[in-house]
Amino acid sequence: MLSRRDMLKGSLAAAAIGAVGSTVFVPLRANAKAPLAGTQAPGYYRLMVGDVEVTALSDGTGHFPLADLYLNTTPEHARTALANAFQGTPTHVSVNAYLLNFGDRLVLLDAGTSDLMGPALGKLPANIIASGYHPDQIDDVVITHIHTDHTGGLTLNGKKVFANATVHVPKLDADYWLDPAIRDAAPDEAKAFFDQAVSATKPYVDSGTLKTYDADAPALPGLVNTTHRPGHTPGHSALWFESKGEKFVYWGDITHGDILQFDEPGVSIAFDVDPNQAIETREAAFAEAVAEKYLVAGCHIAFPGIGHVREDATMYDWVPMNYRADV
């Protein structure tokens, strides 16, 4: 007498034969050798916010000594906090950008690093193409602030990466980073930031396609709004839009990483032009994000860098957005 297991095997076999006729499938060997693939999937992630298609784009992941760069703490404390979140020292830090498709206008928020910060970064143009778009299609690039990891990618070998785009930068940052007198008065270790700012923006300045926006004024009226969040740089701004009752805020460099500064907003970083003001700004940004419960995107939060901020027993917490398989 056939057992239930035998009958089940038989019925499955019959179904397989019926589905494919006389074709016989030979299962792959479970222990077959294969070379290591050695590459990651393209770095993009897509979601809809109201009627706006948002594509998160990775410029890459740099390896930075975060624990030694944080201020108002000790490297030992920072290393312990990172280790408790399974993050090493040096720390893998994302550099993200965000592409907004409004239907009749394609807008990029920040531009990555180009070839200025090593081979692990500078992947933004390739990931734009992998995501189904092309740098030449972008109408506008809106910059949160003029630092190398946000504006370096505007150019490569002295030429525009975004050939048909108008670039919009905070006026306060343009007045600071593009001023030769301020550059000359800066410490020697900071002068490279000024030089990189000039070289990244020069092709757009020369072609008349570099525009500035005022603090808290729309960068693109009717599309991209700004909130002045100074301290990291004089003009550092969050970029945001609303669609069908949903709000998306890209806050640039409010945090570096997604662990220490959420638990301890009073920790600043060596890249802050005004560390005390950056702390006040961070606290205000956290409080607003908690109160309004909108989607937040961060340049240096683990890719795709989109989620929410909530209060917890240790001040604040970063809550990554759930993965969405459908756009």
Side-chain angles (χ1 to χ4, degrees):
M1 179 179 294
L2 291 175
S3 68
R4 292 179 63 187
R5 180 174 294 178
D6 292 333
M7 287 189 288
L8 179 60
K9 289 181 179 178
S11 63
L12 290 173
I17 292 172
V20 299
S22 60
T23 302
V24 176
F25 285 97
V26 178
L28 294 174
R29 291 170 53 204
N31 62 346
K33 293 181 180 179
L36 298 176
T39 57
Q40 289 286 9
Y44 70 91
Y45 176 76
R46 188 165 286 138
L47 71 154
M48 295 297 296
V49 178
D51 288 328
V52 181
E53 181 195 78
V54 177
T55 304
L57 296 159
S58 174
D59 188 60
T61 305
H63 219 198
F64 296 97
L66 274 188
D68 298 316
L69 295 171
Y70 287 130
L71 307 178
N72 300 337
T73 187
T74 65
E76 294 75 20
H77 174 73
R79 278 194 287 271
T80 298
L82 292 167
N84 287 340
F86 305 99
Q87 297 186 22
T89 302
T91 308
H92 291 284
V93 180
S94 292
V95 177
N96 305 323
Y98 298 87
L99 186 63
L100 313 180
N101 190 337
F102 290 96
D104 59 356
R105 200 157 177 177
L106 200 57
V107 180
L108 180 66
L109 308 183
D110 279 346
T113 64
S114 190
D115 58 353
L116 298 176
M117 297 182 71
L121 295 166
K123 303 179 186 303
L124 182 62
N127 283 325
I128 291 173
I129 293 169
S131 78
Y133 293 104
H134 192 279
D136 290 351
Q137 292 177 285
I138 293 173
D139 298 295
D140 302 273
V141 183
V142 184
I143 300 297
T144 56
H145 64 292
I146 299 179
H147 265 169
T148 303
D149 50 336
H150 300 258
T151 54
L154 290 171
T155 60
L156 181 63
N157 298 324
K159 297 182 179 179
K160 293 181 179 181
V161 170
F162 307 100
N164 301 306
T166 299
V167 176
H168 308 261
V169 302
K171 185 177 188 301
L172 289 170
D173 263 21
D175 291 344
Y176 182 81
W177 294 106
L178 305 182
D179 186 330
I182 296 177
R183 185 260 184 205
D184 291 344
D188 288 344
E189 63 270 19
K191 285 181 168 57
F193 291 105
F194 291 86
D195 296 339
Q196 290 166 352
V198 170
S199 62
T201 56
K202 187 177 187 302
Y204 301 89
V205 172
D206 291 347
S207 64
T209 54
L210 184 83
K211 308 296 183 182
T212 62
Y213 61 85
D214 293 327
D216 294 318
L220 296 172
L223 295 178
V224 177
N225 303 290
T226 77
T227 300
H228 188 211
R229 299 292 193 197
H232 185 55
T233 67
H236 181 271
S237 297
L239 310 175
W240 58 275
F241 70 87
E242 291 182 288
S243 178
K244 297 179 70 173
E246 298 183 58
K247 186 173 180 179
F248 177 91
V249 178
Y250 172 47
W251 69 13
D253 283 8
I254 290 295
T255 70
H256 289 75
D258 46 21
I259 301 299
L260 188 62
Q261 290 175 304
F262 284 90
D263 288 334
E264 302 175 50
V267 172
S268 57
I269 198 163
F271 303 121
D272 292 336
V273 171
D274 186 336
N276 290 330
Q277 188 175 49
I279 290 168
E280 293 179 9
T281 288
R282 180 163 36 261
E283 292 172 341
F286 284 172
E288 183 183 280
V290 169
E292 296 192 27
K293 297 180 171 61
Y294 48 61
L295 270 180
V296 173
C299 182
H300 301 304
I301 293 175
F303 183 79
I306 302 173
H308 293 88
V309 182
R310 68 180 177 189
E311 288 183 298
D312 66 4
T314 55
M315 296 297 290
Y316 297 98
D317 192 23
W318 173 252
V319 184
M321 181 189 66
N322 285 340
Y323 175 78
R324 301 178 185 178
D326 58 333
V327 177

